[in-house]
């Protein structure tokens, strides 16, 4: 399926690669992933830059040492070209694979061009957000391209490492469409997470093409497969959206990324980050959260891929609830038992409160038809979306049930 997408995009796909969360609406399009020869750039004020097979810059004399090198050997050969900071930092490493131009400025990593941990050559910035930055890098030890996420605020992202390590143990065969975390470490006061390098996000693909019905079904099945593992392990992704679903290399399916806001269900209340357009009502209303959060998000995503438009495009939580009411009607009584939730929908006499959306429109609950919004006559697809989008998370379609749904059967 994704091979067809790649052919339809033509040269467009060749300009895209890894992009991570970079704020609510920030995205970037990147250059084609360079080959190994392109990645190794020469530097006038640095020692020769070498590859993992030990081929040195031909401009240097034949007796130049080969990498990897022990710190003492680097100091002996290049000590006169290195800063005092670097000379001191070398002692933390048993071997060095690459020397760049990085200088420390407080706890920030300055890049232009640069290295990370004397092993990863930074090729380009792929994304930037409040959490930090993501770079495309050449790993000089393994001679492969990777994505390195550099996180300065580590309070929440330590959990991402914990959850990805946990999931890797449960998915040793890489069959559940979860981004592969290769390793993680600390460098100059920052947490660095090294991932496999993937293709464009669904958000980027949506800009360039219209997904076919078959495309949407394939994407749905790949995402649901991932969610079945998260459901089994009681893990909430919490920020499922097109930007966090990426195409595999060579277009062979998709993978879920960015578990920075993920949590175990046993925490009872979801405290991670979320994007309002894909956020279920129980999160907006601060109810107890479960893995059903992600199935609501999936329903919104599939509707968006099918129509090319957001299903619920609210400007804030209040507006989002108003738009949901317009399609799903009033919430069931069990959803409004919490006092704060009751007060949102009803006054002290139990009368329904008038809800006005951000455009000043009075909301008439249930006045919009989901089938009309989706412009579809595919009743199986409609049923799948409807069962993802229920007020009560306990009545929502589960990933296990979704895998057995007629709409996801008999996919080529």
């Amino acid at each position: 399926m994704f091979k067809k997408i790649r052919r339809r995009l033509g040269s467009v796909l060749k300009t895209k690669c890894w992009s991570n969360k970079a704020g609510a609406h920030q995205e970037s399009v990147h250059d084609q992933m360079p080959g190994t020869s392109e990645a190794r750039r020469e530097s006038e004020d640095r020692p020769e830059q070498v590859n993992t097979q030990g081929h040195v810059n031909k401009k240097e004399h034949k007796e130049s040492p080969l990498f990897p090198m022990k710190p003492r050997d680097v100091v002996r050969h290049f000590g006169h070209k290195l800063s005092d900071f670097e000379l001191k930092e070398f002692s933390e490493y048993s071997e060095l694979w690459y020397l760049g131009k990085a200088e420390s400025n407080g706890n920030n990593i300055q890049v232009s061009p640069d290295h990370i941990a004397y092993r990863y050559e930074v090729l380009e910035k792929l994304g930037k957000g409040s959490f930090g930055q993501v770079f495309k890098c050449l790993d000089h030890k393994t001679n492969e391209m990777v994505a390195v996420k550099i996180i300065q605020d580590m309070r929440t992202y330590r959990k991402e490492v914990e959850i990805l390590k946990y999931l890797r143990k449960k998915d040793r065969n890489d069959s559940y469409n979860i981004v592969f975390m290769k390793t993680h470490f600390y460098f100059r006061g920052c947490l660095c997470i090294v991932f496999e390098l993937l293709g464009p996000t669904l958000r980027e693909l949506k800009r360039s093409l219209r997904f076919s019905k078959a495309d949407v079904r394939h994407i749905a099945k790949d995402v649901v497969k991932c969610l079945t593992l998260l459901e089994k392990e009681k893990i909430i992704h919490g920020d499922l959206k097109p930007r966090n679903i990426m195409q595999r290399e060579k277009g062979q399916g998709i993978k879920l990324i960015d578990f920075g806001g993920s949590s175990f269900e046993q925490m009872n209340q979801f405290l991670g980050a979320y994007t309002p357009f894909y956020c279920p009502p129980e999160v907006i209303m601060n109810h107890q959260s479960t893995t059903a959060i992600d199935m609501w998000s999936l329903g919104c995503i599939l509707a968006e891929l099918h129509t090319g438009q957001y299903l619920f495009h609210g400007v804030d939580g209040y507006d989002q609830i108003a738009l949901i009411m317009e399609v799903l009607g009033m919430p069931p009584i069990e959803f409004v038992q919490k006092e704060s939730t009751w007060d949102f929908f009803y006054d002290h006499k139990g009368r329904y409160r008038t809800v006005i959306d951000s455009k000043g429109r009075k909301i008439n609950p249930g006045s919009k038809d989901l089938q009309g919004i989706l412009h579809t006559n595919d009743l199986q697809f409609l049923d799948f979306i409807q069962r993802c989008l229920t007020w009560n998370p306990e009545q929502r379609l589960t990933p296990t049930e979704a895998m057995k749904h007629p709409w996801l059967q008999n996919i080529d």
Side-chain angles (χ1 to χ4, degrees):
M1 179 270 295
F2 276 103
K3 286 184 177 179
K4 295 180 181 178
I5 292 180
R6 184 171 288 273
R7 287 197 296 269
R8 288 154 60 190
L9 274 173
S11 61
V12 175
L13 272 180
K14 295 181 181 180
T15 65
K16 298 176 181 289
C17 59
W18 175 284
S19 176
N20 214 317
K21 180 161 58 177
H25 300 287
Q26 181 180 349
E27 292 184 0
S28 57
V29 177
H30 314 290
D31 296 332
Q32 182 178 7
M33 186 173 72
T36 303
S37 61
E38 296 173 341
R40 294 175 173 80
R41 301 182 296 272
E42 297 178 4
S43 173
E44 297 179 356
D45 58 349
R46 274 298 198 196
E48 65 276 350
Q49 299 180 7
V50 305
N51 64 23
T52 53
Q53 285 76 37
H55 300 297
V56 301
N57 186 331
K58 294 181 180 180
K59 291 184 179 181
E60 299 293 336
H61 58 76
K62 295 181 180 180
E63 296 182 359
S64 295
L66 305 182
F67 284 75
M69 297 179 65
K70 299 295 182 183
R72 63 177 180 273
D73 296 325
V74 173
V75 172
R76 183 171 67 253
H77 287 282
F78 309 119
H80 64 289
K81 298 181 179 181
L82 303 173
S83 67
D84 292 340
F85 174 84
E86 289 171 313
L87 291 172
K88 182 179 179 180
E89 190 175 52
F90 283 167
S91 62
E92 302 174 11
Y93 297 86
S94 59
E95 57 184 13
L96 297 92
W97 291 88
Y98 176 78
L99 300 179
K101 295 182 178 180
E103 296 290 344
S104 177
N105 180 11
N107 289 328
N108 296 324
I109 298 177
Q110 305 300 315
V111 181
S112 183
D114 198 7
H115 70 86
I116 300 172
Y118 301 96
R119 171 175 168 177
Y120 302 94
E121 178 183 1
V122 174
L123 302 178
E124 65 174 299
K125 183 187 294 184
L126 302 180
K128 182 179 180 181
S130 58
F131 66 89
Q133 303 174 85
V134 180
F135 297 96
K136 180 169 72 175
C137 300
L138 172 65
D139 183 346
H140 278 259
K141 184 174 182 178
T142 64
N143 199 32
E144 63 180 348
M145 296 294 180
V146 296
V148 182
K149 188 175 185 177
I150 300 176
I151 302 161
Q152 295 167 355
D153 184 356
M154 294 176 284
R155 290 172 293 180
T156 59
Y157 280 87
R158 286 192 183 96
K159 186 171 290 294
E160 179 174 16
V161 171
E162 296 172 5
I163 288 178
L164 286 173
K165 288 174 67 175
Y166 179 84
L167 289 174
R168 177 51 51 187
K169 293 178 181 178
K170 304 295 180 179
D171 183 25
R172 295 187 182 279
N173 296 325
D174 190 26
S175 59
Y176 284 94
N177 305 320
I178 298 171
V179 65
F180 179 53
M181 180 182 72
K182 294 175 176 291
T183 187
H184 70 282
F185 52 87
Y186 292 90
F187 181 60
R188 296 181 180 174
C190 296
L191 172 62
C192 301
I193 308 177
V194 182
F195 294 99
E196 62 179 320
L197 190 68
L198 296 172
T201 68
L202 293 189
R203 175 78 171 180
E204 291 169 327
L205 290 172
K206 190 167 74 76
R207 287 176 166 179
S208 308
L209 57 83
R210 178 72 178 267
F211 290 94
S212 69
K213 294 179 181 179
D215 293 339
V216 176
R217 289 178 72 201
H218 279 91
I219 292 168
K221 193 160 189 176
D222 282 352
V223 174
V224 168
K225 187 170 185 179
C226 173
L227 295 183
T228 57
L229 178 60
L230 300 189
E231 175 194 25
K232 180 181 178 181
E233 302 303 328
K234 303 296 182 184
I235 294 174
I236 303 170
H237 183 281
D239 196 20
L240 195 59
K241 57 186 176 181
R243 194 192 308 269
N244 286 339
I245 302 173
M246 301 193 74
Q247 188 177 26
R248 290 173 179 259
E249 282 191 296
K250 301 179 181 179
Q252 300 298 320
I254 57 91
K255 281 196 168 188
L256 265 63
I257 67 165
D258 198 352
F259 285 74
S262 302
S263 63
F264 286 93
E265 194 178 79
Q266 63 192 28
M267 293 180 63
N268 294 324
Q269 189 170 6
F270 177 65
L271 300 175
Y274 64 84
T275 303
F277 307 153
Y278 312 98
C279 185
E282 67 265 26
V283 173
I284 297 173
M285 304 303 293
N286 295 314
H287 290 192
Q288 180 176 336
S289 299
T290 66
T291 55
I293 287 177
D294 296 325
M295 286 303 296
W296 173 283
S297 300
L298 176 61
C300 295
I301 292 168
L302 297 178
E304 179 180 332
L305 297 182
H306 178 75
T307 64
Q309 303 293 326
Y310 294 113
L311 180 58
F312 303 118
H313 195 186
V315 299
D316 54 28
Y318 180 92
D319 199 39
Q320 196 73 5
I321 290 291
L323 298 180
I324 291 171
M325 289 173 58
E326 196 169 31
V327 177
L328 302 187
M330 290 293 291
I333 192 67
E334 63 266 20
F335 184 80
V336 298
Q337 290 302 304
K338 191 175 179 180
E339 183 177 355
S340 60
T341 306
W342 176 273
D343 291 342
F344 181 92
F345 294 99
Y346 300 96
D347 63 18
H348 67 284
K349 292 183 178 181
R351 294 176 300 194
Y352 162 63
R353 292 183 185 275
T354 299
V355 176
I356 307 297
D357 72 3
S358 61
K359 297 179 180 179
R361 296 185 307 121
K362 179 180 177 180
I363 295 299
N364 183 12
S367 60
K368 285 192 174 181
D369 177 54
L370 183 59
Q371 185 174 8
I373 294 172
L374 296 176
H375 302 291
T376 183
N377 292 318
D378 186 341
L379 298 183
Q380 290 184 346
F381 173 58
L382 177 63
D383 181 71
F384 189 95
I385 300 298
Q386 286 175 329
R387 295 181 63 188
C388 287
L389 304 176
T390 63
W391 283 101
N392 188 342
E394 294 180 2
Q395 296 176 358
R396 208 167 289 158
L397 194 66
T398 69
T400 302
E401 292 169 344
M403 287 297 288
K404 300 176 183 178
H405 192 279
W407 184 61
L408 292 186
Q409 305 309 307
N410 303 317
I411 298 179
D412 296 333

